[in-house]
Amino acid sequence: MAGGTKGFVGRTATQFANECGIVMRSVCPMNFHKWESVPADIKNLMYEKLQGKFNLLRTDRVFMGYVDSRLHYQWKRTRGELSAHWKNNGGKTNPWLARSMMKSNCRSPEDWNHLCDYWELESTRRYSDQMECNRGKQVVTSRGGSRSIANHVYHMANIIQHKEEAVAKLISNGTTITTTMDHELEKEAIESVCAKKKTTKSAWKVGVGPVFRKKDFWMTSEAGSSQPSSSETEALRNQVALLEEKLKQSNENSEKMLMFMSSKFPDFESSISAHVSGGANDLDGQLNVNDSLI
């Protein structure tokens, strides 16, 4: 927990955010369209659910304000996911179809029907279209992600500390730090501080980028099956060799025919050359006429 901001940071922040989402989807009804309208007894029930896994300072107003803001964020996110599901299933064009396809993690059919009634209102549609238009006009988009500023500060301080400790250890051993080594030490510090424990389902590695997942192995199998086998390769080589031999024989026959015609008709070769050059001159003439027209 960060003392300056009285909020969860580090790995605990991720765990707390996940737990807030679970509690929100399982406890809070969605028939309130403003977070301020959610009754105090429901919020207290969510606090008690969180208290079972985290040490909530219930008497600290500043800290409980932080908890309330995290729950408010999860409330908006949950409603946003449900709204996106409704729109993706034709909510704006075929609301009855969208109503019949309730999202699997929605708390209850009553919540889903109430939200569908709200989204189908003309006033709600106008408001949604206006907000979508306003978001499209944004010039500067936030790139901070889901982490809070306090959490970013916490990670940056730990990255710097981790890197400084590694550099001091190398220098004490008499190692000269080069630019490449400094870059590698920074990558290792970022990975050790920010990276989560990776599983076979992970698709991204901090400081590295996308990693191969177990479910992506089909790509290698298909790529391997698309490559021709050794017998197919040998057959293709034989076909190429046969075609090259036929082309060579055709060229030889053409040369023999030209020599035969030249021996029987001495003016044959000169007439052919004159015909070819005449055709080229005619083409040049056509080009000059076209140039003059332009």
Side-chain angles (χ1 to χ4, degrees):
M1 184 180 296
T5 58
K6 292 188 177 180
F8 289 105
V9 294
R11 300 182 188 276
T12 311
T14 303
Q15 298 171 2
F16 182 72
N18 292 338
E19 190 64 25
C20 284
I22 295 171
V23 170
M24 180 60 61
R25 289 187 294 271
S26 60
V27 174
C28 185
M30 291 289 119
N31 56 347
F32 303 101
H33 303 299
K34 290 185 178 181
W35 176 246
E36 293 77 11
S37 303
V38 178
D41 57 341
I42 295 178
K43 291 184 178 180
N44 288 329
L45 178 59
M46 290 189 283
Y47 296 155
E48 292 173 2
K49 294 283 186 181
L50 293 173
Q51 184 73 43
K53 292 190 176 182
F54 301 92
N55 183 22
L56 301 186
L57 306 177
R58 299 290 295 272
T59 58
D60 192 324
R61 293 182 61 184
V62 176
F63 176 76
M64 291 308 297
Y66 162 78
V67 174
D68 186 78
S69 66
R70 296 308 304 171
L71 288 173
H72 183 196
Y73 171 80
Q74 291 293 345
W75 178 81
K76 291 192 297 184
R77 182 176 180 178
T78 301
R79 286 176 64 92
E81 291 176 351
L82 294 173
S83 176
H85 179 80
W86 179 78
K87 292 177 182 177
N88 292 335
N89 287 281
K92 290 189 174 183
T93 57
N94 192 349
W96 286 106
L97 175 62
R99 184 184 289 265
S100 65
M101 302 178 70
M102 185 182 77
K103 201 171 189 298
S104 58
N105 62 352
C106 186
R107 195 179 71 99
S108 66
E110 291 76 13
D111 280 1
W112 179 251
N113 289 325
H114 182 87
L115 288 172
C116 289
D117 291 338
Y118 175 72
W119 293 327
E120 291 170 12
L121 294 174
E122 186 62 28
S123 58
T124 305
R125 288 173 178 264
R126 288 198 303 268
Y127 179 80
S128 176
D129 294 340
Q130 183 62 48
M131 292 300 102
E132 186 174 351
C133 180
N134 293 343
R135 286 191 296 271
K137 296 177 182 178
Q138 289 182 350
V139 179
V140 180
T141 305
S142 173
R143 301 296 181 189
S146 58
R147 287 178 181 170
S148 63
I149 295 177
N151 209 9
H152 277 295
V153 172
Y154 170 82
H155 280 92
M156 290 174 65
N158 279 272
I159 289 168
I160 294 172
Q161 181 182 357
H162 189 281
K163 180 183 175 182
E164 289 177 347
E165 291 176 354
V167 170
K169 185 177 180 180
L170 290 174
I171 292 176
S172 63
N173 294 332
T175 305
T176 303
I177 306 299
T178 62
T179 304
T180 304
M181 291 177 62
D182 185 80
H183 180 65
E184 291 298 325
L185 289 173
E186 186 170 344
K187 285 178 60 178
E188 291 177 3
I190 293 173
E191 185 174 352
S192 63
V193 173
C194 300
K196 302 176 184 178
K197 293 182 179 180
K198 297 299 169 182
T199 63
T200 54
K201 295 182 179 180
S202 299
W204 194 268
K205 188 176 182 182
V206 175
V208 177
V211 296
F212 212 64
R213 300 171 294 184
K214 184 178 289 186
K215 66 180 182 179
D216 293 330
F217 287 166
W218 64 270
M219 291 191 293
T220 56
S221 61
E222 285 196 0
S225 62
S226 63
Q227 297 294 328
S229 61
S230 57
S231 58
E232 292 176 346
T233 303
E234 187 64 27
L236 289 173
R237 289 176 180 173
N238 293 335
Q239 291 181 6
V240 171
L242 181 61
L243 291 173
E244 289 177 348
E245 184 65 25
K246 288 183 178 180
L247 180 61
K248 183 179 178 181
Q249 293 178 0
S250 178
N251 291 335
E252 291 177 353
N253 292 334
S254 298
E255 291 179 359
K256 290 179 181 179
M257 180 61 70
L258 182 60
M259 293 175 62
F260 174 77
M261 295 296 292
S262 299
S263 62
K264 292 295 183 180
F265 307 98
D267 298 335
F268 173 75
E269 189 171 354
S270 59
S271 63
I272 291 295
S273 299
H275 178 71
V276 172
S277 61
N281 291 334
D282 293 342
L283 180 61
D284 292 340
Q286 293 177 3
L287 293 174
N288 292 333
V289 170
N290 292 333
D291 291 342
S292 62
L293 290 175
I294 294 173

